[in-house]
Amino acid sequence: MAGVCRPTANGWKVEPVIELSGLYKIFGSDPAGLLPRVRDEGVGKDDLLDRYNGVLGLRDINLSIPARTIQVVMGLSGSGKSTLIRHINRLIDPTAGQVVVDGEDVMALSKAQLRDFRCRKIAMVFQRFALMPHRTVSQNVAFGLEIQRFDKAEIARRVSYWVERVGLGGNGDQYPNQLSGGMQQRVGLARALATDADILLMDEAFSALDPLIRRDMQGMLLDLQAELKKTIVFITHDLDEALRVGDDIVILRDGAVVQQGNAQDIVLRPADDYIADFVQDINLGKVIRLASIMRPMTAGLTGPALDGSMLLADAVRFFAAADADTALVTGEAGRVVGAITARDVMGAMVRG
Amino acid sequence: MGDWWREFPEMDRETLVALRKALDGGYREFSRSYGAEIEAFFDPLLYFLVWFEKLLLATPWWLVIIVLCGFAWMASRSWKIILGTVIAFLLIGWFGMWEDTMRTMSIIIVCTLIAIALGVPIGILMARSGRTQAVVTPVLDVMQTMPAFVYLIPVVMLLGIGKVPGVIAVVIYAIPPVIRLTNLGIRLVDRDVMEAADSFGASPWQRLVRVQVPLAMPTIMAGINQTIMMALAMVVIASMIGVKGLGQPVLKSITNQYFTLGLLNGLAIVALAIVFDRISQAYGRRMQAYRERLEG
């Protein structure tokens, strides 16, 4: 049968890269007709709604997500982030633009090819878990594998591994309704990881959880990522979360990208007031690293050596315990690239 | 012609008579030329009906009760329902209505199975497309509101009097709830869950079988329950076209004013209805066990 998912051989594992280019999405009765208004005339989100009765989902998104990193897409509700992530596995079709995953044009796939693509290459975790209430934890985790028609023994093996791995060892036979929110999302994560897809889409996966549980889950995700090295697209509206998990962060507003960069770029150089507002309550000590505030090395300076990737908060802890006011900052291969004083560190942690 | 504003300008009698004659004649012609073929088409159904009725009549009464209780136990796991079933059937037998009850039960069971076999797929098709829903809904409205006697006429003209036309009439009357509630149940399945199924690459068939139907099952069961109840309610009317069972004594008591006979047979129908209702409802509830939370 054509288009049926079959168990994957390891030959699949090309470096997955996601390329979005010139992506537009307009909701309404005549998206194609409104496209020129948005693309060529620059009609904004509010105008589009008031004058043309169309809702602007995405505007000219160009994003290249490298393999094996966590790409965070951040924005407030209505900024288009959930729309954006659904274009990657084509749960939503764009009004214009291209989606290329692993060199494959997702828009050119037939229905059967698209199903095959979804079940083998991409797995997704949802904000409200979207577990199947009539299936037990184990049966939920097995869902993607059943769709791919793995044999029973392989399904049982993978299910028990992943259920155990996300910390639900004794809960396999329970129904989702009998679990707390945090545990339910562990099921969602296990269900996504069990298919062994290279790309993981996480749509506000932790947003519905209590802050403490959320931290736990972030930690678990980072641990898993250190080992699995998947390509993860992570949607959130929470800047702390974005800074903690993201290798790279894209900030969306009204469907368009307003800034892209790593945590330090965003915090140190917010592109506009909107982002500056966002970052103002952030604890800089937990985001900024020594390398970005060090001073040039001057001859004759001595002191303990600190790695350039050390967080300021950790540096403060170091200086508080150490017998020195000055330290050398090292870069690649331990080469000294600059110097830092306790004073510099403390100054940088408080916004000017 | 001048007073159309005082009296309703109805079509003249000759045209109306001609129209009726044309329709009646056409239908009679149709049933004369194709009646035999259509009857032959339903022959397997007739054989099955006769076989099933004979089976129920030939089975010893205690075995029937045991088998029924077995089903009741599988569906409900409730001693109360089992006890009620036993008492109801013992009373029915004691008052001399066992054979009629078996006849009615056989026709109800067959009608329900046919209604499920046709109704669930139709409901699924309705849920999948708004256009199908727009076409089927008014048909269901007609089936539910049209007095049963009206569609008995063409069925009897076509197939005569007997079991098969009775079954057709009962199915027409009883099938709407299972269609409607299948449609509703599938439409009510959480969109998030459907999206999750899509995101894992499920095909429409996999989605239907693994997600939609299981989640719609409690609603579908409510429809089946209603269908059984309506089929039982139709028993008396079906007896007018020769369906044997509890309906016939009721019909006889109307014409002869036998109050007690009518009451007893009516109560037997009620007892059957309650037994089937409790069993199917308990089954529907048990299928929702996953919705219950653990204490604490």
Side-chain angles (χ1 to χ4, degrees):
Chain A
M1 213 173 7
V4 164
C5 294
R6 298 214 168 73
T8 45
N10 259 354
W12 255 129
K13 309 258 176 194
V14 197
E15 294 287 281
V17 185
I18 303 168
E19 298 266 6
L20 309 176
S21 43
L23 212 58
Y24 285 84
K25 178 66 188 178
I26 297 164
F27 298 98
S29 48
D30 179 26
L34 293 182
L35 182 63
R37 302 255 178 269
V38 175
R39 188 172 53 192
D40 309 326
E41 296 169 24
V43 173
K45 184 175 175 139
D46 295 338
D47 273 357
L48 192 72
L49 185 59
D50 291 345
R51 290 183 22 215
Y52 303 102
N53 200 24
V55 174
L56 181 58
L58 295 174
R59 169 199 289 273
D60 196 19
I61 301 288
N62 295 285
L63 186 59
S64 169
I65 301 171
R68 312 195 178 283
T69 60
I70 301 184
Q71 171 72 58
V72 166
V73 178
M74 204 195 88
L76 298 178
S77 56
S79 61
K81 52 195 191 304
S82 287
T83 309
L84 173 65
I85 201 171
R86 278 168 177 69
H87 279 82
I88 298 173
N89 58 355
R90 218 180 134 189
L91 286 174
I92 296 179
D93 280 358
T95 306
Q98 254 203 327
V99 181
V100 177
V101 176
D102 263 6
E104 202 166 2
D105 182 357
V106 178
M107 295 310 300
L109 299 177
S110 69
K111 273 188 180 173
Q113 286 171 325
L114 180 62
R115 285 203 293 274
D116 196 59
F117 165 79
R118 281 176 184 161
C119 61
R120 292 211 252 181
K121 277 201 183 171
I122 294 197
M124 192 159 177
V125 183
F126 296 86
Q127 176 173 12
R128 276 170 307 182
F129 322 135
L131 300 176
M132 325 261 157
H134 61 296
R135 293 175 148 239
T136 63
V137 168
S138 293
Q139 288 167 344
N140 264 287
V141 175
F143 185 78
L145 303 170
E146 286 174 16
I147 297 296
Q148 295 189 47
R149 291 158 203 248
F150 278 96
D151 63 69
K152 280 210 169 81
E154 176 68 7
I155 292 180
R157 196 185 63 75
R158 288 209 203 180
V159 166
S160 76
Y161 175 79
W162 283 110
V163 168
E164 191 72 40
R165 189 66 205 271
V166 298
L168 292 174
N171 304 98
D173 292 330
Q174 285 183 298
Y175 286 100
N177 252 346
Q178 302 170 326
L179 304 177
S180 68
M183 288 162 95
Q184 290 191 39
Q185 195 57 303
R186 284 167 194 260
V187 180
L189 194 57
R191 174 175 70 176
L193 291 170
T195 63
D196 207 19
D198 283 327
I199 299 171
L200 191 58
L201 304 180
M202 302 187 70
D203 180 22
E204 298 222 38
F206 304 149
S207 298
L209 306 176
D210 297 338
L212 282 177
I213 312 247
R214 194 183 311 170
R215 273 201 74 77
D216 261 10
M217 295 292 285
Q218 291 161 0
M220 186 168 81
L221 178 69
L222 290 172
D223 289 346
L224 285 167
Q225 172 66 353
E227 178 193 331
L228 301 172
K229 293 279 174 212
K230 297 200 179 264
T231 306
I232 300 178
V233 183
F234 190 101
I235 302 283
T236 180
H237 61 252
D238 175 3
L239 184 63
D240 281 312
E241 184 167 75
L243 297 174
R244 177 153 186 231
V245 303
D247 293 314
D248 186 85
I249 299 167
V250 160
I251 299 182
L252 285 187
R253 183 191 187 182
D254 292 345
V257 175
V258 283
Q259 187 169 9
Q260 178 173 15
N262 63 26
Q264 293 189 82
D265 293 336
I266 306 259
V267 172
L268 291 174
R269 289 173 290 279
D272 60 15
D273 293 347
Y274 173 76
I275 300 170
D277 258 4
F278 253 128
V279 301
Q280 85 179 344
D281 295 325
I282 288 300
N283 180 351
L284 297 178
K286 288 192 173 165
V287 177
I288 302 173
R289 297 174 189 279
L290 290 182
S292 44
I293 61 157
M294 66 190 179
R295 53 179 75 196
M297 184 63 192
T298 43
L301 213 54
T302 56
L306 297 179
D307 194 279
S309 68
M310 185 185 242
L311 289 169
L312 297 191
D314 295 329
V316 170
R317 216 164 284 134
F318 170 83
F319 281 120
D323 195 17
D325 281 335
T326 309
L328 305 179
V329 179
T330 59
E332 274 171 51
R335 207 163 48 84
V336 174
V337 291
I340 194 97
T341 67
R343 221 167 224 233
D344 294 340
V345 173
M346 285 187 282
M349 282 178 62
V350 187
R351 238 168 288 259
Chain B
M1 284 305 275
D3 55 2
W4 56 268
W5 46 274
R6 243 187 295 138
E7 283 207 23
F8 199 95
E10 51 187 26
M11 80 199 288
D12 58 88
R13 291 193 64 81
E14 293 87 69
T15 323
L16 192 59
V17 169
L19 179 70
R20 285 209 310 244
K21 268 191 178 154
L23 281 177
D24 286 355
Y27 188 72
R28 205 165 289 137
E29 194 55 41
F30 168 77
S31 59
R32 225 174 261 145
S33 26
Y34 295 102
E37 281 88 345
I38 294 174
E39 244 183 282
F41 172 79
F42 285 113
D43 268 351
L45 176 63
L46 182 62
Y47 293 139
F48 180 70
L49 279 167
V50 171
W51 173 79
F52 192 56
E53 191 182 291
K54 275 188 181 155
L55 176 75
L56 279 185
L57 284 172
T59 313
W61 60 271
W62 47 269
L63 189 57
V64 171
I65 294 184
I66 290 175
V67 170
L68 264 175
C69 289
F71 278 118
W73 176 250
M74 279 195 297
S76 68
R77 297 287 145 85
S78 152
W79 285 112
K80 260 202 232 160
I81 289 177
I82 301 239
L83 189 67
T85 308
V86 171
I87 291 175
F89 276 84
L90 287 180
L91 281 177
I92 284 172
W94 184 249
F95 281 101
M97 298 178 290
W98 184 267
E99 289 204 354
D100 280 340
T101 304
M102 287 304 108
R103 291 202 175 93
T104 295
M105 219 169 76
S106 83
I107 210 151
I108 295 304
I109 291 173
V110 172
C111 288
T112 306
L113 292 179
I114 294 174
I116 293 170
L118 295 175
V120 170
I122 294 175
I124 289 170
L125 288 178
M126 264 173 99
R128 294 176 68 86
S129 113
R131 199 173 297 165
T132 313
Q133 178 174 250
V135 172
V136 176
T137 305
V139 175
L140 295 180
D141 293 339
V142 171
M143 284 162 75
Q144 282 186 301
T145 47
M146 179 75 82
F149 299 105
V150 176
Y151 57 76
L152 279 183
I153 302 163
V155 171
V156 171
M157 279 170 78
L158 194 63
L159 297 168
I161 280 179
K163 284 193 168 61
V164 169
V167 165
I168 293 175
V170 173
V171 169
I172 292 177
Y173 182 74
I175 204 173
V178 70
I179 297 179
R180 282 187 204 273
L181 284 160
T182 301
N183 175 34
L184 177 71
I186 287 183
R187 282 176 187 265
L188 284 182
V189 170
D190 191 356
R191 277 197 56 230
D192 286 357
V193 175
M194 295 291 288
E195 190 181 43
D198 278 340
S199 81
F200 283 96
S203 65
W205 176 252
Q206 286 171 322
R207 220 172 44 184
L208 182 72
V209 174
R210 285 166 197 273
V211 182
Q212 288 174 302
V213 170
L215 284 176
M217 211 52 197
T219 315
I220 296 176
M221 273 311 294
I224 292 174
N225 171 278
Q226 284 306 300
T227 288
I228 298 174
M229 295 302 105
M230 291 182 70
L232 271 165
M234 188 68 182
V235 160
V236 177
I237 294 174
S239 71
M240 292 178 66
I241 53 170
V243 174
K244 287 185 189 156
L246 292 167
Q248 282 201 329
V250 173
L251 204 62
K252 199 159 76 181
S253 359
I254 298 173
T255 44
N256 297 314
Q257 305 189 353
Y258 296 150
F259 172 65
T260 315
L261 180 70
L263 185 68
L264 283 178
N265 282 279
L267 285 176
I269 294 175
V270 171
L272 267 189
I274 291 178
V275 167
F276 280 122
D277 175 72
R278 294 304 182 272
I279 293 177
S280 58
Q281 275 201 26
Y283 185 56
R285 262 200 308 279
R286 276 211 322 132
M287 279 190 306
Q288 299 186 67
Y290 60 79
R291 287 177 205 261
E292 284 164 21
R293 288 161 181 276
L294 286 190
E295 294 296 316

